[in-house]
């Protein structure tokens, strides 16, 4: 009798946790978020102040004295 009750409780608990089909939507949301972050990062990196800073950093690195 105790086994039947335990099996019934386990069955009810498992039915409540069913997430069939959730992984595809999670991957889709994650992909969209990654693309949005990449677009924002691209805009920041290609902005004039950041480009100037990167150019001056590279110039200083290439003109370094050994």
């Amino acid at each position: 009798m105790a086994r039947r009750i335990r099996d019934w409780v386990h069955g009810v608990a498992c039915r409540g946790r069913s997430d069939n089909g959730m992984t595809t939507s999670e991957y889709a949301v994650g992909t969209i978020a990654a693309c949005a972050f990449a677009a924002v990062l691209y805009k920041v990196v290609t902005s004039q102040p950041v480009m100037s800073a990167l150019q001056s950093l590279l110039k200083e690195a290439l003109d370094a004295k050994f």
Side-chain angles (χ1 to χ4, degrees):
M1 182 68 173
R3 180 179 168 97
R4 289 181 65 191
I5 293 173
R6 187 175 60 232
D7 289 344
W8 178 82
V9 169
H10 179 70
V12 169
C14 286
R15 273 185 256 138
R17 291 184 292 176
S18 179
D19 59 309
N20 293 335
M22 289 299 293
T23 56
T24 303
S25 62
E26 289 168 356
Y27 281 121
V29 170
T31 302
I32 291 170
C35 290
F37 180 72
V40 169
L41 188 61
Y42 176 77
K43 283 292 196 182
V44 168
V45 170
T46 57
S47 68
Q48 189 59 39
V50 175
M51 289 293 284
S52 299
L54 287 175
Q55 287 175 349
S56 67
L57 181 70
L58 284 174
K59 185 176 184 212
E60 289 175 19
L62 293 175
D63 290 341
K65 306 245 190 266
F66 290 102

